[in-house]
Amino acid sequence: MSGLEVRDEVAEALEGNGAVVALESTLISHGLPRPDNLALALEAEAIVREEGAVPATVGVIGGIPKVGLGEGDLELLANEDDILKLSTRDLPFAVAKGSHGATTVAATASLAARAGVRLFATGGLGGVHRGARDSWDVSADLAELARTPVAVVSAGVKSILDVPATLELLETLGVPVAGFRTLRFPGFYLTDSGCPLDWSVEGEGEAAHAVRALGDLETGGMVIANPLPESQQLDPALHKKALRSGLEGLRRDGVRGKDVTPFLLARFREETGGESLEVNKRIILNNARLAARIAAALAALEGE
Ligand code: PSU
Ligand code: MN
């Protein structure tokens, strides 16, 4: 894509076969409240560096898709009102109009892969929404991963979704899914979604081998599902209560389309007295750390 701006430090790392981890920006602008959002974005970048990789947060600033945002850009996406939530299909119009926008998993994966980044950390993927049989609400994250060669480290898919249906669709789309040291698919706020997996990877090295093999196959992306330790998950009873109230709120307020996910995340924060926010932050940092370790292992593998 002409006009794709790759931050110098990121471009240098990519040219030298160094470790790079992409980070998304929708969770900054639409997933987390101020001021936690900016603090979390900076902390995720710091953790990636701590593990020996270069962070590349992705977003669109003044119509320019950027792989690697500067601190000023991060501040803007965290603090301005009216930042757009951009999925892949929104990118052409955001470019044409010179908009500021935060990128979802789908748009982040697309831009990062175009720049040559192979690892990406988020909190939880989008997926098949409950009631999708009627609403047809299925996140574009899934279709993007089917065609884009990037490995996403996530705590499964958001527990507000229909998790078994999401796993079925990932299978249909041919997206490889492995648990990190587990054969249970994580449930975002919860350690275990209740769904089994066919594959696990048993360490950063094995994950890096799988990412390299994925690249050789030239198919699409991959999900490395990284659960929170049980001691850090949201209390399951509280989760159940928040979910019920969130889903009721959706129906009552007639929330649709791209507003559904931010609405439900905000409802969880209210219903759990802020506990879900703390869990969400732990998930994101946990995944940033693992993605950086895998990126470093991949760089070492390719330097051999
Ligand atoms: N993970 C989080 N918080 C978020 C998201 C993921 O911890 O806000 C965002 C991601 O950007 C993901 C999006 O792509 O939610 C899914 O939105 P939708 O269901 O509208 O596709
Ligand atoms: Mn949707």
Side-chain angles (χ1 to χ4, degrees), residues 234-284:
L234 191 62
D235 169 29
L238 197 55
H239 181 273
K240 201 166 166 188
K241 174 172 157 267
L243 183 59
R244 184 167 322 128
S245 141
L247 294 173
E248 261 168 39
L250 273 188
R251 254 193 312 275
R252 199 185 46 238
D253 298 359
V255 183
R256 297 184 64 87
K258 57 166 72 176
D259 297 331
V260 168
T261 297
F263 177 91
L264 284 174
L265 294 175
R267 274 316 273 268
F268 259 82
R269 283 200 296 279
E270 291 158 23
E271 287 289 328
T272 64
E275 189 49 39
S276 72
L277 172 60
E278 295 312 310
V279 178
N280 200 349
K281 291 197 283 192
R282 287 201 286 273
I283 291 168
I284 294 163

Side-chain angles (χ1 to χ4, degrees), residues 39-302:
L40 191 280
L42 295 171
E43 204 180 337
E45 290 207 344
I47 283 176
V48 169
R49 286 186 200 283
E50 212 176 281
E51 299 295 338
V54 175
T57 305
V58 174
V60 177
I61 306 293
I64 298 173
K66 293 192 179 186
V67 177
L69 297 172
E71 205 165 321
D73 297 333
L74 290 174
E75 273 170 29
L76 187 149
L77 292 184
N79 294 327
E80 291 273 304
D81 295 324
D82 306 325
I83 298 293
L84 302 173
K85 175 179 167 184
L86 304 177
S87 188
T88 313
R89 70 167 194 160
D90 302 306
L91 292 172
F93 303 121
V95 169
K97 290 182 188 294
S99 312
H100 299 314
T103 48
T104 64
V105 168
T108 301
S110 167
L111 294 170
R114 202 157 291 270
V117 180
R118 291 183 296 165
L119 275 139
F120 168 17
T122 181
L125 281 180
V128 179
H129 281 264
R130 291 163 199 251
R133 191 170 298 154
D134 300 314
S135 68
W136 289 71
D137 190 354
V138 176
S139 177
D141 292 356
L142 303 186
E144 187 65 49
L145 275 183
R147 61 175 176 244
T148 302
V150 73
V152 185
V153 178
S154 88
V157 301
K158 278 180 280 281
S159 46
I160 55 178
L161 300 167
D162 184 336
V163 178
T166 303
L167 282 169
E168 287 291 347
L169 189 50
L170 283 166
E171 179 184 333
T172 303
L173 291 169
V175 178
V177 181
F180 189 75
R181 298 196 173 117
T182 178
L183 281 166
R184 307 292 298 175
F185 194 57
F188 191 61
Y189 293 129
L190 303 175
T191 302
D192 185 347
S193 69
C195 298
L197 289 170
D198 292 336
W199 293 97
S200 68
V201 286
E202 295 305 325
E204 290 82 5
E206 196 171 75
H209 270 282
V211 174
R212 185 167 68 168
L214 180 78
D216 293 341
L217 292 168
E218 293 186 22
T219 45
M222 167 185 285
V223 178
I224 298 171
N226 185 30
L228 268 186
E230 219 165 85
S231 61
Q232 295 182 19
Q233 73 173 351
L234 191 62
D235 169 29
L238 197 55
H239 181 273
K240 201 166 166 188
K241 174 172 157 267
L243 183 59
R244 184 167 322 128
S245 141
L247 294 173
E248 261 168 39
L250 273 188
R251 254 193 312 275
R252 199 185 46 238
D253 298 359
V255 183
R256 297 184 64 87
K258 57 166 72 176
D259 297 331
V260 168
T261 297
F263 177 91
L264 284 174
L265 294 175
R267 274 316 273 268
F268 259 82
R269 283 200 296 279
E270 291 158 23
E271 287 289 328
T272 64
E275 189 49 39
S276 72
L277 172 60
E278 295 312 310
V279 178
N280 200 349
K281 291 197 283 192
R282 287 201 286 273
I283 291 168
I284 294 163
L285 298 177
N286 206 33
N287 292 342
R289 188 177 299 283
L290 179 58
R293 288 183 179 169
I294 297 170
L298 182 62
L301 203 63
E302 294 191 331

